[in-house]
Each structure stands twice: as structure tokens, then as C-alpha cells.
Amino acid sequence: MNFRQHLTNPVLNKEFRVRMRSNKTPWIITFYLFTLGFVLFFMLYTELSNQYTYWPSNIYDTFIMMSLLQYGLIIFATPGLTAGAICGERERQTLPILLTTNLSSLQIVLGKWISTLSFMLLLVFASLPIYGTIVLFGGVALTQIIEIFGVYLVTMLSIGAVGICVSTLTKRTGVAAVITYSLVFAYTALLNVAELFLLRSMENDMIRKAGFGNPPENLSNHPLIGFLEALDTINPASTITRVFTKENWLVNFRTEGLFVNYQPYGGFILWYLLLAILMLGLAAFFLRRRYMK
């Protein structure tokens, strides 16, 4: 077996052929891009039709709405696509055949993971020309578009990895989808609660330290400020708000200016890539063990 054959993943090749050769694929892409383009031009017409002066900030608002719309699609579609990757094989009773091949558990998991996300990746990157239309009007930096598409990519990879892991540990596609959606929601909600609780506790500490009637010090002097920044980095709601709108998620009169020079984008990307690797490793570890039970 040569080096090229060693790198070839039969599961991935088969999934690509089945999905991309389907007659539905080009129609779905066309419908998605047509809908996205229609929404964009409708919003542009609404923003600019009654104005005598052009302001780039109006285009920026349209850009943010389009970005949030596409991000919502990723959040809601990715768990449903990946949750049935392994469960579907088990329900069709084709998993035993797949496990008797020379493919390792990691190759099977990676093939399913990439193949299920490939269609979402195709839809997202096919929308780049539409974003290029927004750039022509000004008001949006190219670096921000790159950052937003980086958020799209990392979100798909991490949520998709969680869906693959849950699909490995469960036996039904519906159950796997519900658990994946629940985990994504619970993770985001708990991080926000923990971050706000820590912030309130730090504020109370600074008030007690300053004494009655004295203005409290800035929270940057608190010993737990590093832990708060770490929670803010791995909190998707916080980082996405900062990337999309350039505003702070934590808004408080004592935290004014606290996160002005704090850029969690790099830490956000690194954390969710590591999370995706961990979930894929767990899926590969439990794949054969769960089937044998």
C-alpha cells in the first residue's frame, strides 16, 4: 500500500460520492444562496431606499444581521447532521460490516465527521460572493469577515465533533440529536451563568475592600480577573458578540474599559479546536466498545 492509499479514507470517499452526486445537492445550494441573496438585497433596499445620504454604518448593520442569520443556521443544522452519523449505521445494521473492514475506529469517526460537515462547509463558503457584495458598499473590514468565517468553521467543527461523540454513545438518531442540542445549550447557558456570578462576586469583593462611601477599585486589580477572562474566552456568546458587533458581552459600570484591550479570539479558536479533538478521540475510543456491549 503506497502513501496515497494510506491517506485515503474509504468512508469519506463513499460519503462524498453519495452526497455530491445527488440531484438534490445543487438545488439545495441554489435555493440557499438565492434565499440569502434575496434577504440581503431586501435589507439593503429597506436601509437605503428612504435615505438621501449614504452611511456605511447602515451597511454594517445589514452585515451583522446576515452573519447572525448564517450563524443561526450553523447552530441549528450541525447537531442534526452529525447526530445520526454513527447511529444511522447502527439503525441500518451496516455498522458491523464497517467495523470488520481494515479501517481503524479513528478513520471511521473522521470520515463520518468530515463527510457530514462537508455540505455545511460548502453552503457557508459558497456564500462568500454575497459577503463580497456587502464589502463593496464599505463599512465592513475584510479582517472582520475572515474572523467571522473562522468562527463559523470552528463552531461547525466543535459542535460536529460533539454530535459524532454522542452518536457513538447512543443507539437512536433522535436521542442523539436531542442530547447534542441539550449539551450545546447547557454549555452556553452554564458558562454565562458562571461568568455573571463570578463578576458579581468580584464586584462585591471590591466594594467591601473599598469600604462604605468610597468608590471601588477597577476589577482589573482583583486576583480572579484572569479566571474571569478565561471564562469569557471559552464563552461562545461573549466571543461571538465581540467578533460580530465589536461590543463587550459584560456591560457594567464597574467593568467599563475592563475588556477594551482584551481579544479572546485566538483563545476561542484554540479552545474549540482542542474540544473537537477531544470529542473525536472519545468517539474513536468508544466506537467498538459500545458496539460489543
Side-chain angles (χ1 to χ4, degrees):
M1 180 179 294
N2 57 36
F3 182 71
R4 181 179 178 182
Q5 289 175 333
H6 182 73
L7 293 179
T8 301
N9 190 319
V11 176
L12 186 58
N13 291 339
K14 176 257 183 185
E15 294 287 343
F16 275 159
R17 288 191 177 95
V18 172
R19 186 179 299 273
M20 296 307 171
R21 288 180 179 178
S22 173
N23 294 329
K24 296 180 181 179
T25 300
W27 286 107
I28 293 175
I29 297 174
T30 302
F31 177 77
Y32 175 73
L33 294 180
F34 176 80
T35 303
L36 204 62
F38 176 79
V39 172
L40 169 63
F41 286 106
F42 177 77
M43 294 175 67
L44 289 177
Y45 177 79
T46 304
E47 289 285 345
L48 303 176
S49 60
N50 297 323
Q51 296 185 8
Y52 298 100
T53 304
Y54 166 71
W55 297 100
S57 59
N58 296 332
I59 303 301
Y60 184 77
D61 294 338
T62 302
F63 168 74
I64 295 301
M65 291 299 297
M66 292 290 296
S67 300
L68 291 175
L69 178 65
Q70 187 152 258
Y71 188 76
L73 169 72
I74 293 172
I75 292 294
F76 287 105
T78 303
L81 288 174
T82 57
I86 305 297
C87 292
E89 296 287 345
R90 185 180 285 111
E91 291 173 349
R92 293 189 296 269
Q93 298 182 356
T94 54
L95 184 59
I97 301 174
L98 194 59
L99 294 177
T100 56
T101 63
N102 294 328
L103 295 175
S104 65
S105 298
L106 183 59
Q107 286 179 304
I108 296 173
V109 168
L110 288 178
K112 289 293 184 180
W113 178 57
I114 298 175
S115 63
T116 52
L117 293 179
S118 61
F119 189 68
M120 283 296 302
L121 288 170
L122 181 60
L123 286 178
V124 170
F125 284 100
S127 65
L128 273 173
I130 297 179
Y131 281 86
T133 304
I134 301 177
V135 174
L136 292 176
F137 286 89
V140 180
L142 180 61
T143 54
Q144 188 174 8
I145 294 181
I146 295 174
E147 287 183 351
I148 287 177
F149 273 79
V151 169
Y152 289 162
L153 179 61
V154 172
T155 301
M156 279 188 285
L157 295 180
S158 57
I159 295 180
V162 172
I164 291 290
C165 185
V166 174
S167 182
T168 304
L169 297 175
T170 56
K171 296 182 178 181
R172 299 296 178 187
T173 301
V175 176
V178 171
I179 294 177
T180 304
Y181 281 112
S182 301
L183 287 176
V184 172
F185 174 79
Y187 174 83
T188 305
L190 288 176
L191 275 179
N192 280 285
V193 171
E195 191 173 350
L196 292 175
F197 178 80
L198 179 61
L199 174 62
R200 180 60 60 186
S201 177
M202 291 169 60
E203 289 176 348
N204 293 334
D205 289 343
M206 300 305 287
I207 292 174
R208 286 194 296 266
K209 183 179 179 181
F212 179 76
N214 297 320
E217 297 182 18
N218 193 286
L219 286 179
S220 59
N221 299 322
H222 197 280
L224 294 179
I225 185 60
F227 186 63
L228 179 63
E229 290 180 347
L231 285 179
D232 197 63
T233 298
I234 65 175
N235 184 355
S238 179
T239 301
I240 289 165
T241 302
R242 190 173 285 106
V243 170
F244 281 15
T245 65
K246 300 300 180 182
E247 296 179 357
N248 293 330
W249 176 251
L250 296 177
V251 180
N252 187 279
F253 70 96
R254 278 187 282 276
T255 62
E256 188 69 29
L258 181 60
F259 294 112
V260 169
N261 298 320
Y262 173 58
Q263 300 296 331
Y265 184 75
F268 173 85
I269 297 293
L270 180 60
W271 167 256
Y272 284 99
L273 287 178
L274 292 175
L275 179 63
I277 294 173
L278 175 62
M279 292 293 104
L280 293 174
L282 290 175
F285 178 79
F286 286 109
L287 178 61
R288 297 182 188 273
R289 288 170 175 79
R290 287 289 299 173
Y291 176 73
M292 295 302 178
K293 290 185 178 181

